Amino acid sequence: MFNSGVKCWWSQRVHDECFGRNETSGVCGRETYNARNEFRRLIAEFDRGSFSESSFENYPLIGNAVRNHLISTICSTYELRLWIEQFKRDFTQVCNSRKKEIDERLNLHIREKSYQDIKKLIVSDIRFENIELDESDLEIWLDAHDLCLTVNEEITFISDNKKHVSAAAHIITQHTSIHAVRELESFRT
């Protein structure tokens, strides 16, 4: 994500990493798809009458939430099944509303140039300083550089990838039009 102070931007590449191009790709898409499958399987256990306390171990994404509800509200299996159905609807609604909010608040930028000369300089400096290079990060930095040139604004590159981005921040700002690099965690209070 790139923050220019006026608008928030993100690259097509980052969008695809998060949401993919369909409902089962991208990190969010896969996790949501996997959670929905867990809901279906758990409800099927209820319907078959095979649900037990050990069932939670089979559901890494939703098991803890369901177990915590069961412990906090002693209820019948039927009531727990109804709660799970509602939890599934709420979960899906929250995921969809968050994606919609992100799509509405962030402007999408698509880079059309390769910037091979800048890429070579960055790679050379990163190797010289013995910093681990993630090729997808490099492409995202170039997306941000292209955005800076396109909108002609000072842009701060914001990332949650501490390992690669923080170590290479000085190289990124030296060779690109990116004004500053900031970790996403720095926004937490």
Side-chain angles (χ1 to χ4, degrees):
M1 182 166 64
F2 322 115
N3 181 7
S4 67
V6 178
K7 292 183 179 179
C8 291
W9 298 86
W10 67 345
S11 70
Q12 180 72 52
R13 191 174 330 277
V14 173
H15 180 274
D16 291 349
E17 277 183 21
C18 291
F19 296 110
R21 295 191 178 263
N22 60 47
E23 86 170 21
T24 60
S25 65
V27 174
C28 296
R30 279 190 308 275
E31 291 301 309
T32 303
Y33 177 80
N34 291 339
R36 283 195 306 256
N37 279 340
E38 285 186 13
F39 281 121
R40 282 193 284 277
R41 289 188 354 252
L42 183 58
I43 289 168
E45 277 193 48
F46 276 101
D47 292 345
R48 286 191 310 270
S50 60
F51 173 79
S52 69
E53 190 66 31
S54 65
S55 295
F56 295 119
E57 296 169 17
N58 300 322
Y59 306 102
L61 295 174
I62 66 168
N64 282 337
V66 176
R67 180 186 295 115
N68 291 341
H69 177 75
L70 181 61
I71 291 168
S72 68
T73 61
I74 298 172
C75 59
S76 69
T77 304
Y78 175 75
E79 291 169 323
L80 182 59
R81 186 190 188 290
L82 292 177
W83 181 86
I84 290 170
E85 286 281 1
Q86 184 61 49
F87 184 67
K88 176 183 170 188
R89 285 189 294 277
D90 293 346
F91 176 85
T92 302
Q93 182 180 4
V94 166
C95 290
N96 291 340
S97 67
R98 285 185 181 164
K99 181 183 181 315
K100 182 181 178 196
E101 180 183 356
I102 288 170
D103 287 345
E104 288 172 355
R105 294 180 73 192
L106 298 178
N107 298 289
L108 195 62
H109 177 74
I110 301 171
R111 172 171 50 105
E112 296 179 3
K113 297 178 183 174
S114 65
Y115 298 104
Q116 289 300 317
D117 293 342
I118 294 173
K119 186 185 279 191
K120 287 177 188 174
L121 290 170
I122 292 172
V123 169
S124 174
D125 283 1
I126 284 176
R127 287 188 178 140
F128 178 78
E129 293 192 26
N130 204 23
I131 299 170
E132 187 178 334
L133 175 65
D134 182 328
E135 288 292 328
S136 65
D137 286 339
L138 177 58
E139 294 301 321
I140 293 166
W141 300 334
L142 294 172
D143 291 345
H145 169 71
D146 186 67
L147 175 65
C148 291
L149 297 176
T150 302
V151 299
N152 196 25
E153 292 182 29
E154 287 188 349
I155 290 178
T156 299
F157 181 88
I158 302 167
S159 174
D160 70 342
N161 188 339
K162 288 187 217 177
K163 184 177 181 182
H164 303 117
V165 176
S166 294
H170 63 288
I171 296 170
I172 297 167
T173 55
Q174 178 183 354
H175 294 298
T176 69
S177 298
I178 298 169
H179 174 70
V181 176
R182 229 176 129 178
E183 291 178 10
L184 183 60
E185 194 171 279
S186 71
F187 290 93
R188 296 189 183 152
T189 55

